[in-house]
Amino acid sequence: GESVGLHLPTLSVQEGDNSIINCAYSNSASDYFIWYKQESGKGPQFIIDIRSNMDKRQGQRVTVLLNKTVKHLSLQIAATQPGDSAVYFCAESRINTGTASKLTFGTGTRLQVTL
Amino acid sequence: SAVISQKPSRDICQRGTSLTIQCQVDSQVTMMFWYRQQPGQSLTLIATANQGSEATYESGFVIDKFPISRPNLTFSTLTVSNLSPEDSSIYLCSTSGHSYEQYFGPGTRLTVT
């Protein structure tokens, strides 16, 4: 498949451990953030989002933390599984009323899950 | 979430030719976006396609090179013109439903020889 993530930083995690993927965003005016997962040969898959009026949001096995003071976003994956192996991107945006706005993507992190 | 399909899924084209990529959404959406993902890189927005008006291009992308059509609320095309090897990338369309979430199509993998 397409070599997505050839030159990206890599995080290696043992199966069953927790993963933490970090992202620094650039625009202090951004008020909406999304994490995507991209497997080889596929488009980005929406994982979880968070708005700037929150500092934490939880989903199924995933938690996103937002620190607006230092413009930092993190994705925590609990009990990492082999199927979590992929490239993870954060994206930032400014929300227009009622509709999506263009996204600015971070550089991405490749997550490798070892058995 | 919106279901998005793209055609073709991949293509190999000769330099100097053009490729038109289709993006179909299973529901009516206001805004559609086209992104490029160069090998080993992140995604970069090319343009925003609005129904009934001209597309809005990002810095570094021009209409002559990347003409976009948006004939209705479920469909858009991106043409990559006068192809060069530097255009070899994955091209992705995205959209949102009635929320802020954006969903992506599977991408079109273009190789220019």
Side-chain angles (χ1 to χ4, degrees):
Chain A
E2 172 63 29
S3 53
V4 172
L6 255 186
H7 310 294
L8 301 177
T10 299
L11 174 67
S12 288
V13 175
Q14 204 158 20
E15 182 181 7
D17 287 351
N18 297 334
S19 302
I20 300 177
I21 301 171
N22 296 304
C23 175
Y25 65 93
S26 56
N27 188 351
S28 57
S30 294
D31 56 8
Y32 180 62
F33 306 88
I34 306 177
W35 278 101
Y36 287 95
K37 172 186 180 183
Q38 188 174 29
E39 297 173 285
S40 184
K42 297 184 179 180
Q45 175 190 352
F46 178 96
I47 302 174
I48 191 169
D49 60 356
I50 189 168
R51 295 184 67 174
S52 59
N53 60 352
M54 304 173 70
D55 53 19
K56 180 179 180 179
R57 189 162 187 230
Q58 288 185 294
Q60 187 176 15
R61 274 201 314 121
V62 295
T63 300
V64 55
L65 299 177
L66 173 63
N67 184 331
K68 294 181 288 294
T69 302
V70 295
K71 293 190 286 187
H72 183 268
L73 199 64
S74 68
L75 177 70
Q76 300 178 0
I77 304 173
T80 310
Q81 303 168 359
D84 295 326
S85 294
V87 177
Y88 289 80
F89 293 99
C90 67
E92 59 181 297
S93 177
R94 292 192 66 184
I95 298 176
N96 292 323
T97 304
T99 61
S101 293
K102 59 185 182 181
L103 298 174
T104 300
F105 278 80
T107 53
T109 298
R110 179 200 298 268
L111 177 64
Q112 287 183 337
V113 181
T114 57
L115 302 179
Chain B
S1 64
V3 177
I4 304 168
S5 60
Q6 288 185 232
K7 288 182 183 180
S9 58
R10 62 176 65 216
D11 207 341
I12 300 173
C13 301
Q14 290 192 336
R15 66 179 67 198
T17 64
S18 298
L19 176 69
T20 295
I21 303 166
Q22 299 179 6
C23 179
Q24 179 75 52
V25 187
D26 68 342
S27 59
Q28 293 185 340
V29 293
T30 304
M31 300 175 79
M32 296 178 74
F33 305 89
W34 286 99
Y35 290 81
R36 180 176 73 184
Q37 186 173 29
Q38 294 177 302
Q41 302 294 318
S42 185
L43 286 77
T44 300
L45 181 65
I46 298 171
T48 302
N50 304 307
Q51 196 269 336
S53 63
E54 279 197 7
T56 303
Y57 289 83
E58 297 300 303
S59 176
F61 298 96
V62 295
I63 188 171
D64 289 346
K65 176 67 175 177
F66 299 99
I68 288 171
S69 78
R70 181 84 197 271
N72 57 53
L73 291 174
T74 64
F75 186 79
S76 177
T77 67
L78 169 74
T79 299
V80 189
S81 304
N82 189 24
L83 290 168
S84 69
E86 293 71 37
D87 295 320
S88 297
S89 294
I90 302 173
Y91 292 86
L92 299 130
C93 69
S94 75
T95 187
S96 64
H98 299 287
S99 68
Y100 306 122
E101 300 170 7
Q102 278 195 39
Y103 298 93
F104 282 82
T108 296
R109 192 169 310 156
L110 169 62
T111 302
V112 182
T113 59

